Amino acid sequence: MCGIIGYKGKDNVIEVLISGLKKLEYRGYDSAGIAVKGDTVQVIKSVGRISDLEEKVNNTKIIDTDMGIAHTRWATHGEVNEDNAHPHRVGKITLVHNGIIENAEELRNQLMSDGVVFNSNTDTEVIAALMNSYYENSMEDAIEKTINDLRGSYALGIICDDSDKLYAVRCQSPLILGISDNGTFITSDIGAILNYTNKYSLLGENEIVTIDNNGYKIIKNGKEVHRDVMTSDLTDEDNDLHGYSHYMLKEIMEEPVLVNNLINKYSNDLDKLPDLSKYDSIHIIGCGSAYYAGMIGKNLFEEDGIKVDCDVASEYRYRNIIYNDKTLVILISQSGETADTIAAMRKAMENNIDTLAIVNVDGSTIAREATYKVLIEAGREVAVATTKAYILQVLILSLLSYKLKPDNKYLSDLKKLPQQLNVLLDRTGYFKKLADSIYKRNDVFFIGRKIDYAICLEGSLKLKEVSYIHSDAYQAGELKHGTISLVEDGTVVFGIVTDDFIRDKTISNLEEAISRGAKAIYVGTENTKYDDQIIVPKVHSKLQPILVVPVLQIIAYYVALKRGCDIDKPKNLAKSVTVE
Ligand code: G6P
């Protein structure tokens, strides 16, 4: 992962780089750095957040410059310190890198035997050293030779002491070109430059970009390549907190409107959605919350009579998968750039299997490469822990399931959903009160069966991601087969009970936990005897998760707030995981 921005042009380079880094910070936030070039190359790095780097930059005399590169890091090779932070500088080469070089150790050893001394533990410094060793007088040649030696993923922004040009190249990791009247950008995400331009071009693998005062040139294997200039629909507005204290809260509160938008788009025009009836087996693949959205989809499509396997992408890509000619692979990804999910997609495509991408970011690798795509239209999601994107992924799965087996109740319930969601999210006072009773606990469990278990998975993940409280989800019937030993006086156990068919069973399991001292929080559609209960409106079973998960998201938010956590940027996490 990590985030890259680079710029050459007339705008203030430091402002472009720092404002870009702030918007890329969701991609990694353990350290950051910039390098600018004028008569010399000046590098400034800092451990911590972009604000720490900004302070250091503000206290430093910056050289006259019209170009620079910058990076925000999520550590993969080497601990978090300034030496390991990017940019890395070896000889005449200074560069920033997103990705992982798999043969870095081999290359490092070769370079060391040639006398190169390394200052960091990173694979990125190896790239810089290699490029420096190849550099004679042509950067294009040095880049070409370097990438020929690299195995793995990389997006690189490069400066050479001898050149006034900015260079870039990518393979597997994302990097796009931004184009404005004043200059040219390279960035991991268009969101980083929207305050300057919404014009961009995508870059193919191993295309070498050279940026100078007249614009840019893209070359592959010695030949010039033309890439269309596109216009992004996103605006810088999407980066604004709009008065909320955190993006997570803002994004949860956007859910009713976004759900309404998708309903309006699809409910009367199901032809816009792919038809799954020609498949007899579906594999749903994702990572993190996207995988848990897939678990909801598994329950929905199974009810429709289709065999469904749901797996995390990092496992799926290496397992022996049995396909048939009626298999569909659904890839769920907010970013469309998650490395494992991309690999899972490519595995299916190599087997000539149809793939359907449910993605947020149009133009992303998964959106571009899958056979079919459905965009969830969440707008930009800034908080690292996903909320609105998850809900819209589930809504798309639900609509696909409805298309397979239409019924009138679904449609009438669907139309009520946004308003019901609004009313639920308004109950903040009650959610805060519940959060008060949870925030000092060490362990929280979520139990449910079938689709309720899938809901538990996401509720539990959200809580642990943002509050750092240990939390786990269990199939309600499974708790007693081991984990119940951890239940003690005051342990919080959420019972998610929306499926009438197994309602009594889950309640019995909740009772088993209560008998051992658990404090139960019931979330369901029917009134109960429990002191702490959240009753959500009963809707069509294919829509129920869309009314329950937001409640769990908002409770997680308030628990994290009470604990003083860094809610939008939880420790050790990053939003877009573009490394394996
Ligand atoms: C990371 C994020 C999760 C996200 C997962 C998948 O782990 O921290 O919040 O669910 O990646 O991301 P994707 O962009 O593929 O949905």
Side-chain angles (χ1 to χ4, degrees):
M1 31 248 230
C2 308
I4 290 177
I5 177 153
Y7 176 69
K8 180 166 177 77
K10 295 182 205 135
D11 288 311
N12 182 309
V13 175
I14 294 292
E15 275 172 29
V16 171
L17 298 182
I18 296 288
S19 86
L21 282 180
K22 284 182 182 165
K23 286 163 189 163
L24 292 172
E25 202 170 14
Y26 71 88
R27 299 175 71 89
Y29 31 86
D30 50 42
S31 51
I34 61 169
V36 289
K37 180 162 189 297
D39 292 338
T40 55
V41 173
Q42 184 177 19
V43 178
I44 304 169
K45 306 189 207 186
S46 165
V47 167
R49 298 295 164 92
I50 306 302
S51 51
D52 299 307
L53 176 71
E54 188 177 21
E55 201 182 320
K56 203 163 169 184
V57 169
N58 289 341
N59 292 326
T60 308
K61 186 165 171 21
I62 305 290
I63 58 171
D64 271 349
T65 174
D66 72 345
M67 75 174 191
I69 50 178
H71 184 273
T72 178
R73 180 170 187 244
W74 187 85
T76 57
H77 284 60
E79 63 181 278
V80 177
N81 59 34
E82 271 188 30
D83 284 342
N84 288 337
H86 302 212
H88 285 276
R89 181 164 166 76
V90 179
K92 292 186 170 180
I93 304 295
T94 307
L95 56 78
V96 289
H97 166 221
N98 170 21
I100 290 189
I101 302 305
E102 287 159 14
N103 57 338
E105 272 322 292
E106 201 182 298
L107 294 168
R108 181 193 297 272
N109 291 338
Q110 265 169 35
L111 288 157
M112 279 168 62
S113 64
D114 295 342
V116 175
V117 177
F118 286 93
N119 295 313
S120 78
N121 313 108
T122 63
D123 51 349
T124 306
E125 195 184 10
V126 173
I127 310 176
L130 189 63
M131 203 173 287
N132 187 56
S133 75
Y134 280 133
Y135 176 67
E136 285 169 0
N137 46 32
S138 158
M139 270 304 284
E140 285 86 350
D141 283 356
I143 295 172
E144 187 86 56
K145 286 179 180 152
T146 303
I147 59 179
N148 279 340
D149 287 355
L150 299 181
R151 249 194 358 253
S153 56
Y154 46 85
L156 301 171
I158 314 154
I159 286 174
C160 171
D161 284 11
D162 294 344
S163 166
D164 287 332
K165 295 175 183 166
L166 174 63
Y167 301 90
V169 65
R170 65 166 285 269
C171 178
Q172 292 181 43
S173 299
L175 195 68
I176 61 168
L177 266 183
I179 301 141
S180 83
D181 292 341
N182 281 354
T184 309
F185 304 76
I186 52 167
T187 174
S188 311
D189 174 351
I190 182 89
I193 56 172
L194 284 171
N195 47 340
Y196 293 94
T197 183
N198 61 356
K199 299 265 182 295
Y200 69 101
S201 279
L202 300 172
L203 292 174
E205 301 214 327
N206 290 329
E207 293 175 354
I208 299 172
V209 187
T210 308
I211 299 168
D212 62 19
N213 287 332
N214 301 318
Y216 60 92
K217 201 160 148 191
I218 308 174
I219 287 172
K220 180 151 189 190
N221 300 328
K223 291 207 185 76
E224 194 163 344
V225 177
H226 176 76
R227 288 260 161 207
D228 291 342
V229 176
M230 298 185 283
T231 305
S232 168
D233 294 339
L234 292 172
T235 64
D236 202 31
E237 268 284 281
D238 291 307
N239 286 318
D240 198 334
L241 270 169
H242 292 286
Y244 287 101
S245 47
H246 294 92
Y247 284 104
M248 183 177 177
L249 186 59
K250 173 193 168 228
E251 288 161 2
I252 294 171
M253 293 306 177
E254 284 171 0
E255 288 169 0
V257 169
L258 295 169
V259 164
N260 193 39
N261 293 348
L262 274 195
I263 291 174
N264 287 340
K265 175 163 181 181
Y266 291 114
S267 59
N268 295 322
D269 195 357
L270 285 177
D271 288 344
K272 287 186 187 145
L273 291 171
D275 177 13
L276 308 196
S277 62
K278 59 180 171 180
Y279 302 102
D280 68 7
S281 131
I282 296 179
H283 301 173
I284 310 182
I285 312 301
C287 301
S289 294
Y291 165 58
Y292 292 151
M295 287 292 286
I296 301 275
K298 174 181 163 72
N299 279 273
L300 299 180
F301 298 137
E302 276 178 357
E303 289 293 324
D304 297 328
I306 300 191
K307 180 178 171 347
V308 187
D309 292 306
C310 183
D311 206 350
V312 288
S314 53
E315 287 292 308
Y316 186 87
R317 62 185 291 186
Y318 294 116
R319 281 185 27 234
N320 181 28
I321 305 296
I322 318 291
Y323 297 108
N324 71 46
D325 56 5
K326 285 188 176 170
T327 301
L328 171 72
V329 175
I330 301 181
L331 293 314
I332 305 181
S333 175
Q334 186 283 130
S335 62
E337 296 295 352
T338 301
D340 284 318
T341 314
I342 293 173
M345 172 184 68
R346 291 185 178 154
K347 174 177 181 146
M349 296 187 94
E350 278 157 21
N351 283 279
N352 295 319
I353 296 300
D354 284 355
T355 52
L356 163 62
I358 300 179
V359 277
N360 191 29
V361 181
D362 201 8
S364 60
T365 306
I366 294 175
R368 287 200 314 270
E369 292 186 17
T371 327
Y372 309 105
K373 75 172 171 191
V374 177
L375 299 175
I376 60 167
E377 299 179 23
R380 189 172 164 77
E381 194 178 56
V382 177
V384 167
T386 180
T387 51
K388 60 178 179 174
Y390 167 92
I391 293 297
L392 297 170
Q393 289 160 353
V394 170
L395 177 58
I396 292 293
L397 291 163
S398 168
L399 288 162
L400 287 167
S401 164
Y402 164 68
K403 183 169 174 171
L404 274 171
K405 258 204 180 163
D407 75 75
N408 292 338
K409 172 149 175 40
Y410 181 92
L411 263 195
S412 66
D413 281 2
L414 184 70
K415 296 198 171 132
K416 291 187 224 143
L417 212 56
Q419 180 54 14
Q420 287 169 327
L421 204 46
N422 248 327
V423 172
L424 259 181
L425 292 178
D426 243 12
R427 294 176 60 191
T428 40
Y430 184 57
F431 299 137
K432 276 185 192 161
K433 202 176 122 238
L434 272 182
D436 283 352
S437 65
I438 300 172
Y439 82 101
K440 284 191 179 148
R441 301 287 162 199
N442 295 326
D443 297 295
V444 175
F445 297 106
F446 290 74
I447 60 169
R449 289 168 184 248
K450 297 170 65 192
I451 203 162
D452 290 336
Y453 168 61
I455 293 172
C456 288
L457 289 166
E458 180 58 12
S460 169
L461 179 67
K462 219 50 10 178
L463 183 68
K464 75 176 94 162
E465 274 182 318
V466 297
S467 76
Y468 315 143
I469 294 179
H470 166 258
S471 154
D472 258 320
Y474 283 91
Q475 295 98 334
E478 188 62 15
L479 191 74
K480 60 180 165 298
H481 294 292
T483 306
I484 202 160
S485 66
L486 299 177
V487 173
E488 53 189 31
D489 261 357
T491 303
V492 173
V493 179
F494 279 85
I496 311 293
V497 193
T498 70
D499 183 330
D500 290 339
F501 185 65
I502 38 75
R503 186 166 187 277
D504 295 344
K505 310 261 177 217
T506 305
I507 290 195
S508 299
N509 300 132
L510 196 55
E511 285 296 328
E512 286 158 10
I514 293 169
S515 312
R516 283 144 187 98
K519 172 190 162 51
I521 301 178
Y522 166 93
V523 185
T525 50
E526 311 286 332
N527 214 356
T528 61
K529 59 174 186 176
Y530 297 112
D531 291 340
D532 288 316
Q533 56 173 3
I534 301 165
I535 309 298
V536 300
K538 175 120 192 100
V539 290
H540 192 288
S541 59
K542 288 184 179 174
L543 295 169
Q544 201 66 66
I546 299 170
L547 285 184
V548 178
V549 176
V551 167
L552 304 180
Q553 292 171 341
I554 205 154
I555 291 174
Y557 171 79
Y558 283 119
V559 171
L561 192 68
K562 274 298 254 184
R563 287 167 67 92
C565 298
D566 194 349
I567 296 179
D568 288 333
K569 297 188 189 82
K571 70 172 163 22
N572 301 340
L573 299 183
K575 189 156 188 68
S576 176
V577 183
T578 55
V579 293
E580 202 180 329

